[in-house]
Amino acid sequence: YTKETWAEANDGMMAIFAEFAECKNSGSTADSAAASAAAQALVAKLQAHITENYYTCTDEILAGLGKMYVADERFKKNIDKYGEGTAEFVSEGIRIYVEKK
């Protein structure tokens, strides 16, 4: 990767986290009927983005990432810059997505 390609991939990933924050801010929870379809579509988008730009993101890897996003304060802080609780929302959305498969 060039620096520019790497930056574009990272920016794209952060844009997806911003979309998760917007979904969360709609007032729904990750498992509510109102947010479920939108949150699940964002999880699929995140998984596809990781696969296209970094490495093959299997469901098992995705599940691990979901846990890491809340367990590792560095990731949590970075994701929560879009709004408090965004990392938890992403993590819960990933958990539901993987369990449904």
Side-chain angles (χ1 to χ4, degrees):
Y1 278 163
T2 65
K3 281 186 177 184
E4 184 177 280
T5 304
W6 187 255
E8 288 173 7
N10 290 336
D11 289 347
M13 190 150 161
M14 296 314 292
I16 295 169
F17 289 134
E19 290 181 65
F20 272 107
E22 289 173 19
C23 186
K24 178 187 76 66
N25 291 337
S26 70
S28 301
T29 60
D31 61 348
S32 71
S36 183
Q40 295 304 287
L42 285 172
V43 173
K45 183 176 181 178
L46 177 64
Q47 186 176 33
H49 182 81
I50 293 168
T51 295
E52 291 167 13
N53 292 282
Y54 303 105
Y55 50 83
T56 301
C57 185
T58 64
D59 291 341
E60 184 178 4
I61 290 171
L62 184 65
L65 289 172
K67 292 174 184 174
M68 183 179 65
Y69 291 159
V70 293
D72 186 315
E73 284 300 318
R74 297 168 296 177
F75 282 96
K76 187 173 190 265
K77 182 179 177 181
N78 196 39
I79 295 168
D80 277 354
K81 72 182 178 184
Y82 297 104
E84 186 72 27
T86 301
E88 186 64 42
F89 185 83
V90 174
S91 180
E92 183 66 5
I94 289 172
R95 184 191 63 75
I96 292 165
Y97 180 85
V98 172
E99 285 181 1
K100 284 185 175 182
K101 284 188 143 187

